[in-house]
Amino acid sequence: MTDLTLDVPFLWSDSKHAFRKLVRRKHSNPSHHHGGKAGGPQLAKQLKVLQLVGIGIGSTIGAGVYVLVGTVARDRAGPSIVLSFLIAGIAAALSAFCYAELASRCPSAGSAYHYAYTCVGEGIAWLIGWALILEYTVGGAAVARGISPNLVQGTFFGGAENLPFFLVRRTIPGINLVVDPCAALLVIIVTLLLSKGIKESAMVQSVMTLMNVSVLIFVILVGLYVGFKTGWQGYNQPGGFFPFGFNGMLGGSATVFFAYIGFDTVASTAEEVKRPQRDLPLGIGLALLICSSLYMAVSAVIVGIVPYQLMNPDTPMSSAFSDNHIPWAMYVVAAGAVAALSTTLMGSLLPQPRILMAMSRDGLLPPIFHELNRATAIPIYSTVTTGVVAAVMAFSMDVQQLSGMVSVGTLLAFTVVGISILILRYVPPIDQPIIALPVPAPITLPPTSLPYFSPRSYDAEKKGGAPRLLLIQAKDDFYSPAFSILSEASLQTLPGVDEDSESESSSESVHEPFIPEEDEQQADFPETQTVAMQNPPNNGNEIDHDMAQNKTRRLAAALGIFGVCAGVLLVSIGTSFTSFPRWLRWIIGMIGTPPLVAGTLALLLIKEDEGRHKFGQSGGFHCPFVPILPITSILVNVYLLANLETLTWIRVSVWLALGALVYLFYGIHHSKLSKTTHAETSVH
């Protein structure tokens, strides 16, 4: 038997109670958990397409592009860095397509955390949310700490000696701690801006993004002038377009892929979008397209005017113009880098309060984190907490050592989003609304049929025809207080009862609840079917047969998804863990290939579940080429995760272990799903 407060996982429906808590899933519509209110206080809907594009570009194009072009071209790809950016952009687009569908279907705060909670389960959702908290905090602190020494102090103030004494980076004697007051001040300023409201912060970010994009366009145009003037000497080097070979180009694409991280920030603002079904996919798609175009154009120009082996790996753009006798351009490039860092800082601090708010609304974190400011409709305590923690880290920590941890949260989120698309299409959660009636104790409802007479059947009986019986087929064994007392009073409270029909038939002493003819097929029950009373067993067998087929299909699809996930993990380990003996890597890869191929073929052959149309909000964007596209996205992201440094994984593991303790001692006991009034199932 399945408790109504718990969710049945899509593969292991008979697992222990503790495991079921980890895989319970919330309704795709948060109002089902909170008495008609969508998860409590709601964020103000202020954003449109242009603002979303600005947020997406600003969060994606950081100062990295001002450095990556030099390091990747010089050491990894040469002129073929243009194709590296193209391939990385295509790989990022795979995740963007998945994000676009989920964001338009489930436009709620929380981004990947929210999607994981509705599709995969509470345990994985907590893992993703906790990892994203680390990503945004460390990322924001690292960006702020990178602005002051390299750009603000050196370029615009003429050196640290010209800064006010209280903003100068200094080393505290005795403990050898380097503090950066300027970085902390930048975080505080951005936090105050974000506290003013999403509309105001989006406007400022759009202005800074426009400045950044303008600088990149300046680099492209001036670079074109220099290139045609000098004859594109960078493309006339020994080794041709692929001096490091095709593998070098692919290795470069794996490096520059991280320059595309940031478009997922758009999804985190879903609850604040006026028309999410249309605007969110457009915002994500346009932001990624513009970023990819700018990356390719800038890299094509820079490697064309300076031979790749002569590039300055730290300041490739400024050095390229200085080498071609345009030294004043370095100030324009520096201004663009400052704008890029500023928008990236805002893009790092904007999503985290919404992640905290979403987790708090679900009961996994204390309720203070989802309290909104009445004037600005901003999660004020979450915003301030995020800003204070990031400011302290920027002030006192060498966060560059932790910067590799930023990638883990993003890649984990991308992976889970791809898995969520597969679950949504093939084994979507079945939301079964249960009406809580005041009854003494629940009574077990067996997987059988409950009779309802429809008005059409009653009319047919009066005209001499055979009365018809509406059967409501329950898919699972569950405790249902709604069906515990099949009396006239309790049944009339169920959805679909037509009071007019009931009153009209009262003279005939018919007291059964009527369901209007036009609503007969739309009644909100787990399964409905109208059958003739003369021979109900045969039709009941047909219903059971259809249910058995659907159950088998969902189980096969669930096994296919599991095979894909297991196969991707093993193949990625086999190809990436170079510290393993070669023979061991081959064995791991050979073990992982069959389930990956079999799972992919199974999903290609299995029909998608019709229940996917009822998941979340209707309309919006639909991810194309399912299941190939999400499986490829999962493979790319897991492969990149497997290639991260061992030290990075050790640090991340410590953070995730801390998160597991928080969840076990607080979140799992305060989860709102413990009080939900609906059951969600997957396979059955």
Side-chain angles (χ1 to χ4, degrees):
M1 310 303 289
T2 303
D3 192 298
L4 281 179
T5 62
L6 294 179
D7 186 72
V8 181
F10 70 89
L11 190 54
W12 298 284
S13 60
D14 295 324
S15 300
K16 295 182 179 180
H17 183 79
F19 178 76
R20 293 206 306 268
K21 284 188 175 182
L22 296 178
V23 294
R24 56 189 176 185
R25 297 179 291 191
K26 67 178 181 179
H27 200 290
S28 55
N29 183 358
S31 64
H32 285 256
H33 297 287
H34 303 275
K37 297 180 181 180
Q42 294 297 288
L43 300 173
K45 294 186 177 297
Q46 301 280 359
L47 302 179
K48 298 181 180 179
V49 173
L50 290 179
Q51 293 164 312
L52 293 176
V53 173
I55 292 174
I57 297 175
S59 302
T60 303
I61 300 181
V65 67
Y66 292 86
V67 179
L68 278 177
V69 172
T71 56
V72 175
R74 177 173 176 169
D75 302 330
R76 302 293 296 272
S80 66
I81 186 177
V82 180
L83 295 182
S84 296
F85 272 113
L86 175 61
I87 293 174
I90 293 174
L94 300 177
S95 296
F97 280 125
C98 299
Y99 264 98
E101 174 167 347
L102 291 171
S104 61
R105 282 181 179 268
C106 308
S108 181
S111 185
Y113 158 79
H114 177 66
Y115 311 146
Y117 209 161
T118 56
C119 293
V120 184
E122 185 175 282
I124 297 298
W126 171 267
L127 175 73
I128 296 302
W130 193 253
L132 290 177
I133 289 174
L134 176 69
E135 173 197 342
Y136 294 132
T137 305
V138 174
V143 169
R145 198 155 174 115
I147 292 178
S148 55
N150 298 324
L151 298 171
V152 176
Q153 294 180 13
T155 303
F156 292 97
F157 289 89
E161 63 276 6
N162 296 323
L163 278 175
F165 74 95
F166 58 87
L167 291 179
V168 176
R169 176 180 288 191
R170 64 185 73 244
T171 302
I172 298 179
I175 58 176
N176 197 29
L177 176 66
V178 179
V179 296
D180 193 340
C182 185
L185 179 62
L186 289 171
V187 173
I188 293 173
I189 292 174
V190 171
T191 301
L192 293 175
L193 176 61
L194 293 175
S195 300
K196 295 292 293 181
I198 185 63
K199 188 175 182 179
E200 291 77 9
S201 56
M203 180 185 67
V204 172
Q205 187 166 19
S206 297
V207 171
M208 299 298 290
T209 298
L210 182 61
M211 179 179 175
N212 182 20
V213 172
S214 299
V215 170
L216 293 179
I217 293 176
F218 164 83
V219 171
I220 295 170
L221 295 178
V222 176
L224 286 172
Y225 167 77
V226 174
F228 284 112
K229 182 179 179 181
T230 59
W232 299 104
Q233 56 179 329
Y235 291 114
N236 298 319
Q237 301 299 312
F241 193 72
F242 296 94
F244 296 92
F246 189 75
N247 290 334
M249 184 268 294
L250 290 179
S253 65
T255 302
V256 301
F257 174 83
F258 296 100
Y260 288 95
I261 291 177
F263 68 84
D264 53 308
T265 303
V266 176
S268 70
T269 64
E271 195 171 302
E272 297 158 284
V273 179
K274 291 184 176 181
R275 300 180 62 182
Q277 278 70 40
R278 186 200 69 171
D279 293 353
L280 281 171
L282 283 175
I284 294 173
L286 289 176
L288 191 60
L289 177 63
I290 293 173
C291 291
S292 180
S293 301
L294 289 173
Y295 285 160
M296 294 176 62
V298 168
S299 60
V301 166
I302 296 301
V303 298
I305 62 178
V306 177
Y308 71 90
Q309 63 269 29
L310 300 179
M311 275 192 179
N312 187 322
D314 298 321
T315 57
M317 295 186 190
S318 301
S319 300
F321 291 124
S322 298
D323 294 344
N324 286 277
H325 311 293
I326 313 178
W328 55 269
M330 65 176 292
Y331 295 100
V332 179
V333 173
V338 170
L341 284 167
S342 302
T343 57
T344 304
L345 177 58
M346 294 183 64
S348 297
L349 299 181
L350 174 66
Q352 179 163 326
R354 285 141 185 85
I355 299 289
L356 294 173
M357 185 190 73
M359 298 175 74
S360 175
R361 288 197 307 201
D362 293 330
L364 304 184
L365 289 177
I368 190 174
F369 289 111
H370 71 253
E371 293 186 15
L372 302 184
N373 181 283
R374 293 184 178 181
T376 61
I378 288 295
I380 187 65
Y381 294 109
S382 294
T383 302
V384 171
T385 301
T386 299
V388 170
V389 174
V392 170
M393 292 183 67
F395 176 79
S396 59
M397 294 180 63
D398 184 8
V399 292
Q400 295 299 327
Q401 297 179 357
L402 308 177
S403 58
M405 301 169 65
V406 174
S407 304
V408 175
T410 299
L411 293 175
L412 284 175
F414 286 4
T415 301
V416 170
V417 166
I419 296 173
S420 297
I421 286 292
L422 294 178
I423 294 175
L424 168 60
R425 293 297 188 91
Y426 291 97
V427 281
I430 301 175
D431 300 324
Q432 297 181 350
I434 303 298
I435 304 174
L437 298 178
V439 295
I443 297 177
T444 302
L445 177 69
T448 183
S449 302
L450 298 177
Y452 281 79
F453 288 97
S454 69
R456 184 170 59 188
S457 67
Y458 180 64
D459 293 341
E461 184 180 12
K462 291 194 296 183
K463 296 177 183 179
R468 296 173 63 82
L469 179 66
L470 179 64
L471 298 178
I472 302 174
Q473 181 74 29
K475 287 187 175 181
D476 301 290
D477 295 349
F478 57 93
Y479 290 99
S480 174
F483 295 113
S484 60
I485 301 178
L486 298 180
S487 63
E488 175 184 351
S490 64
L491 288 174
Q492 286 176 354
T493 64
L494 294 173
V497 176
D498 189 314
E499 296 179 358
D500 295 335
S501 299
E502 207 284 327
S503 61
E504 292 173 2
S505 61
S506 59
S507 60
E508 303 290 338
S509 301
V510 178
H511 301 291
E512 292 81 1
F514 287 117
I515 298 178
E517 180 175 348
E518 62 272 16
D519 295 333
E520 219 170 79
Q521 301 301 322
Q522 300 178 3
D524 195 7
F525 296 119
E527 282 287 344
T528 59
Q529 179 70 32
T530 303
V531 301
M533 286 189 66
Q534 290 91 336
N535 193 16
N538 291 338
N539 288 323
N541 291 336
E542 292 178 4
I543 297 173
D544 291 339
H545 178 69
D546 292 341
M547 291 179 59
Q549 281 189 332
N550 187 55
K551 180 177 179 180
T552 302
R553 186 202 59 77
R554 289 173 66 88
L555 179 59
L559 289 172
I561 295 173
F562 178 78
V564 166
C565 296
V568 164
L569 179 60
L570 292 174
V571 169
S572 299
I573 291 175
T575 56
S576 304
F577 283 29
T578 55
S579 59
F580 287 4
R582 186 178 182 87
W583 62 267
L584 180 58
R585 293 169 55 195
W586 270 99
I587 291 176
I588 295 175
M590 292 177 65
I591 294 175
T593 301
L596 174 59
V597 175
T600 302
L601 291 176
L603 296 178
L604 284 170
L605 296 175
I606 295 174
K607 182 181 179 182
E608 294 184 14
D609 196 295
E610 293 298 326
R612 70 187 188 279
H613 301 300
K614 302 177 183 178
F615 183 88
Q617 298 189 13
S618 59
F621 179 82
H622 291 272
C623 179
F625 308 116
V626 175
I628 298 300
L629 188 147
I631 290 176
T632 307
S633 173
I634 296 169
L635 181 60
V636 169
N637 293 306
V638 173
Y639 175 80
L640 292 174
L641 281 169
N643 279 277
L644 293 176
E645 296 180 357
T646 303
L647 186 59
T648 297
W649 274 111
I650 294 175
R651 291 168 175 165
V652 171
S653 298
V654 173
W655 173 253
L656 295 180
L658 176 62
L661 294 176
V662 175
Y663 176 69
L664 292 175
F665 285 98
Y666 183 88
I668 197 171
H669 303 291
H670 294 81
S671 172
K672 293 293 179 67
L673 288 188
S674 299
K675 303 175 183 178
T676 188
T677 58
H678 78 285
E680 298 167 346
T681 63
S682 296
V683 173
H684 300 294

